[in-house]
Amino acid sequence: MSLLTWNQGQYLLDGQPYRIISGSIHYYRVVPEYWKDRLLKLKASGFNTVETYIAWNVHEPSEGAFNFTGMADVESFIRLAGELGLHVIVRPSPFICAEWEFGGLPAWLLSYSDLQLRCMDPLYLSKVDRYYDQLIPRLVPYLSSKGGPIIAVQIENEYGSYGNDTAYLDYLRKGLIDRGIDVLLFTSDGPTDEMLLGGTLPDVHATVNFGSRVKESFQKYREYRKDEPLMVMEYWNGWFDHWMEDHHVRDGADVAKVLDEMLAQGSSINMYMFHGGTNFGFYNGANHIVTYEPTTTSYDYDAPLTEWGDSTEKLEAVRKVLAKHGFAPGCPFPEPIPKAAYGKVQLTEKAELFTDAALQQLSGPIHSVNVRPMEKFGQSYGFILYSTFVKGPRQGQKLYIQDVRDRAQVFLNGRLLGVIERWNPQPLEISVPAEGVKLDILVENMGRVNYGPLIRDPKGITEGVRIDNQFQFDWTVRPLPLQPETLAGLKYDALDAAAADGENGEERPAFYRGSFEVQEPGDTFLRFDGWYKGIAWVNGFNLGRYWSAGPQRTLYVPGPLLQQGRNEIVLFELHSGPVNCEIELTDTPDLGTVAQVDDAVLNFANDEEE
């Protein structure tokens, strides 16, 4: 048995002074075949601990249906870390932020109109309890008190940035203890009065999160916790990216300098992130500070270990600082994983979305008097199609979507009228002939807000559709979650390359399919040059979103997703593909034009965090 405790300002492990040198790796952002590689690289860099959030929406994607397999096999990840000689910090808070969809909360919570998030709301707590009844017993065997690697467990995540319901925090604490958690419990918050007042409990160890200004941050912490060990639970060594912005980077020498200062103060640390990984599928989150900002598919984070698992100059700088403070590599550094360039691949088949065959395969129609958010139709992710008939004649009126979450393509009789976006919700001018038209509105969920007061973020159309002041009723709704099992049944037609832009040059959403041969599977990167916006799948695995708006110019394809021989690639292109309908699989990643992270962002100055 081994227990992490603290006394007189320092951690004790088995009664002996101990420093936690941890790095963040999220199991659900890395294919399981690469867990060992990433963990060994952590240990080889001088770290003794790995930290991971646990994402509720990964484990209960639909209400009452739990998943702990594949990329959701958190038990195997923890067990592997222990076998490799690493301690583990787990953060199973119902809410995790992490630039993850809805901050890890499952979208089906939003189907309950009266449910209140992250507080002592009985309905919300009943859902948390049911989840914890499934999750926590899986963690208990891996506690250090039982001989396992887990040395500490978080109660809630940066709660002081959201609320001040300390009864809620205490409820979660008691729930963990009652279910068998008997290792060190802690909270983590930004080093401000508001956050430390709202997010902590007096008898629970408090840690802090920040990226610079070490002296100032620790001084604020010491105003509240005079005798506890210093622990930076999230040392932000990089930053995440939003679509339509630049790729954020932080200078490695600056990261090393701040780390040196933290360690010189006697602090333990957790580097957020050591390895960022990828927001595969529809799991990217979003921010909403001034406007809505969706996060990219890549979660490289400019971390010391890249999205594809390579070492960086930043990592070398970090290793030198750790060695200076007595934290030597725990094993040899694994060799880089080979990268492969499979060349250009032509997508030779096409299935247009707006055909009876495709729509029948992908979704059943639902009649609804009003437009409603996708959660009210039992849908969490993907797209949703609203269709109705508009009577005419009408001339020079305005079509409003009230409110769109997050990006809507509007079609009249199958022709694109225009796009209405959450961050630019300008109405479209509409004219309707006397015989009327069919109105189709395809709405893309680009990721729910994962931080701040606006996390309650239903998707689709949340209020209504109106022409001038007249609301439109009588809709046919088709949820389009685009699950692999429904996509597999799509019927494709051979594609004439000259018709790639659609008949008569019209932009219509369509699925494009092609294949390529692989002799030796390896990591590769999908370049989407010439394509506008959509989703990519390889062998049925959802790689995530692509968008010419950038910054990201390639999608990471881990080698384990490929197979020897024939491999299939599918793009769901929302507008139109290039004339040659080609993609390229290259051995070179491209995350876009870079911009340095602003120091203010690293210290909650903009009320925004990791």
Side-chain angles (χ1 to χ4, degrees):
M1 184 175 106
S2 167
L3 279 179
L4 180 72
T5 58
W6 62 268
N7 187 37
Q8 296 181 341
Q10 65 179 352
Y11 290 116
L12 303 172
L13 189 65
D14 296 330
Q16 299 300 312
Y18 191 73
R19 296 276 292 279
I20 300 169
I21 305 297
S22 175
S24 295
I25 302 174
H26 299 155
Y27 59 95
Y28 47 84
R29 281 180 159 132
V30 182
V31 293
E33 293 88 346
Y34 284 167
W35 287 346
K36 185 175 182 179
D37 174 80
R38 288 8 178 202
L39 290 168
L40 283 174
K41 288 171 179 173
L42 179 76
K43 184 176 180 180
S45 300
F47 293 78
N48 55 34
T49 304
V50 62
E51 175 273 327
T52 186
Y53 280 126
I54 296 179
W56 183 0
N57 53 14
V58 167
H59 297 294
E60 194 180 1
S62 57
E63 185 169 8
F66 294 93
N67 177 29
F68 292 94
T69 62
M71 291 182 72
D73 190 355
V74 62
E75 295 168 84
S76 290
F77 179 81
I78 293 170
R79 183 169 57 250
L80 176 61
E83 291 170 353
L84 297 177
L86 291 166
H87 297 302
V88 178
I89 296 172
V90 294
R91 301 166 78 185
S93 315
F95 172 86
I96 63 172
C97 185
E99 290 70 61
W100 193 249
E101 223 278 341
F102 200 6
L105 297 172
W108 50 260
L109 290 173
L110 298 178
S111 66
Y112 295 93
S113 300
D114 296 331
L115 183 146
Q116 300 300 307
L117 302 169
R118 302 180 75 190
C119 66
M120 285 294 287
D121 174 65
L123 181 58
Y124 172 70
L125 294 178
S126 71
K127 308 304 181 185
V128 174
D129 283 338
R130 182 183 59 197
Y131 166 53
Y132 271 17
D133 285 343
Q134 290 286 327
L135 172 67
I136 303 306
R138 297 173 185 271
L139 302 181
V140 168
Y142 301 102
L143 299 176
S144 63
S145 59
K146 307 293 190 296
I150 299 175
I151 58 173
V153 176
Q154 181 173 268
I155 290 177
E156 232 271 11
N157 187 58
E158 295 177 326
Y159 186 66
S161 302
Y162 179 80
N164 67 347
D165 191 346
T166 52
Y168 165 63
L169 295 179
D170 196 49
Y171 183 92
L172 293 179
R173 177 187 63 164
K174 290 177 180 177
L176 292 172
I177 294 171
D178 290 346
R179 291 175 176 88
I181 300 295
D182 58 3
V183 297
L184 182 69
L185 298 177
F186 67 92
T187 59
S188 63
D189 288 274
T192 71
D193 291 308
E194 179 183 57
M195 296 173 188
L196 290 170
L197 286 168
T200 62
L201 290 170
D203 54 350
V204 172
H205 178 42
T207 67
V208 285
N209 304 336
F210 57 90
S212 63
R213 305 180 194 173
V214 176
K215 182 179 178 180
E216 174 186 335
S217 298
F218 282 156
Q219 282 179 341
K220 177 56 63 177
Y221 174 77
R222 281 293 182 223
E223 291 178 18
Y224 291 86
R225 302 295 171 116
K226 300 190 181 303
D227 300 321
E228 294 182 24
L230 295 175
M231 173 67 186
V232 183
M233 186 53 65
E234 295 183 15
Y235 168 31
W236 305 322
N237 52 34
W239 207 246
F240 53 91
D241 294 338
H242 294 131
W243 292 110
M244 302 176 284
E245 297 178 3
D246 290 333
H247 169 50
H248 290 99
V249 299
R250 184 178 179 190
D251 181 66
D254 180 54
V255 169
K257 176 179 175 292
V258 173
L259 174 62
D260 189 26
E261 188 176 351
M262 289 176 175
L263 295 177
Q265 293 276 341
S267 179
S268 290
I269 60 102
N270 174 56
M271 296 199 81
Y272 191 100
M273 301 287 298
F274 174 78
H275 169 60
T278 309
N279 296 317
F280 292 119
F282 296 118
Y283 277 119
N284 69 277
N287 288 95
H288 199 304
I289 308 302
V290 177
T291 188
Y292 175 77
E293 300 173 293
T295 304
T296 58
T297 299
S298 171
Y299 197 64
D300 177 80
Y301 204 84
D302 192 40
L305 201 68
T306 65
E307 179 184 6
W308 44 97
D310 283 358
S311 180
T312 62
E313 291 183 6
K314 181 181 291 185
L315 180 55
E316 292 308 308
V318 165
R319 293 178 76 184
K320 288 179 182 178
V321 172
L322 292 181
K324 171 186 172 182
H325 289 271
F327 301 100
C331 64
F333 202 90
E335 291 294 320
I337 292 173
K339 314 299 184 297
Y342 298 110
K344 294 184 178 179
V345 179
Q346 188 167 21
L347 307 188
T348 58
E349 298 176 295
K350 181 179 180 180
E352 288 207 13
L353 177 65
F354 293 147
T355 65
D356 290 341
L359 290 175
Q360 288 172 11
Q361 171 61 31
L362 295 172
S363 177
I366 302 171
H367 178 261
S368 181
V369 174
N370 302 295
V371 292
R372 296 189 294 165
M374 62 169 56
E375 296 85 358
K376 294 296 186 180
F377 299 102
Q379 181 185 357
S380 293
Y381 311 113
F383 300 77
I384 187 166
L385 178 63
Y386 302 91
S387 303
T388 191
F389 185 80
V390 179
K391 296 177 181 178
R394 300 170 183 262
Q395 291 296 324
Q397 293 187 287
K398 298 287 187 182
L399 176 75
Y400 296 85
I401 299 180
Q402 186 183 317
D403 290 312
V404 62
R405 306 283 180 90
D406 300 301
R407 186 176 188 271
Q409 292 167 262
V410 181
F411 299 85
L412 295 182
N413 285 344
R415 290 177 176 267
L416 182 66
L417 178 67
V419 177
I420 297 178
E421 296 161 322
R422 182 173 179 175
W423 53 92
N424 184 31
Q426 299 302 312
L428 299 175
E429 186 169 320
I430 183 173
S431 295
V432 178
E435 63 271 22
V437 295
K438 184 184 180 187
L439 170 66
D440 292 300
I441 303 175
L442 180 65
V443 181
E444 178 184 9
N445 167 2
M446 293 191 64
R448 291 179 181 83
V449 173
N450 57 256
Y451 173 74
L454 303 179
I455 61 171
R456 192 178 194 93
D457 189 18
K459 295 302 184 180
I461 301 175
T462 60
E463 297 293 335
V465 176
R466 54 188 173 86
I467 299 176
D468 286 349
N469 286 334
Q470 184 187 79
F471 282 99
Q472 303 298 296
F473 296 99
D474 190 20
W475 294 85
T476 298
V477 181
R478 289 183 180 269
L480 298 168
L482 303 186
Q483 295 296 325
E485 57 271 19
T486 57
L487 289 175
L490 274 177
K491 302 300 182 184
Y492 289 82
D493 295 320
L495 177 65
D496 179 353
D501 285 333
E503 297 177 12
N504 302 318
E506 294 174 7
E507 295 184 20
R508 284 199 289 267
F511 298 87
Y512 296 80
R513 184 170 69 175
S515 64
F516 60 100
E517 295 291 323
V518 169
Q519 290 185 342
E520 194 70 35
D523 286 4
T524 190
F525 302 88
L526 189 160
R527 287 201 68 92
F528 45 85
D529 299 332
W531 299 85
Y532 189 77
K533 191 178 196 302
I535 311 294
W537 290 263
V538 167
N539 294 330
F541 183 92
N542 190 334
L543 296 174
R545 209 178 312 270
Y546 66 86
W547 193 7
S548 59
Q552 184 172 359
R553 301 297 179 189
T554 58
L555 294 179
Y556 173 49
V557 185
L561 300 180
L562 305 180
Q563 57 197 15
Q564 197 169 32
R566 181 182 179 275
N567 292 263
E568 180 186 85
I569 185 163
V570 172
L571 299 188
F572 179 45
E573 168 59 49
L574 294 171
H575 290 267
S576 59
V579 172
N580 59 13
C581 272
E582 283 183 343
I583 57 95
E584 182 180 2
L585 295 170
T586 176
D587 57 5
T588 305
D590 185 352
L591 297 181
T593 305
V594 301
Q596 290 290 326
V597 180
D598 190 303
D599 181 70
V601 171
L602 299 172
N603 290 276
F604 283 95
N606 293 331
D607 196 30
E608 181 177 2
E609 49 96 277
E610 48 75 23

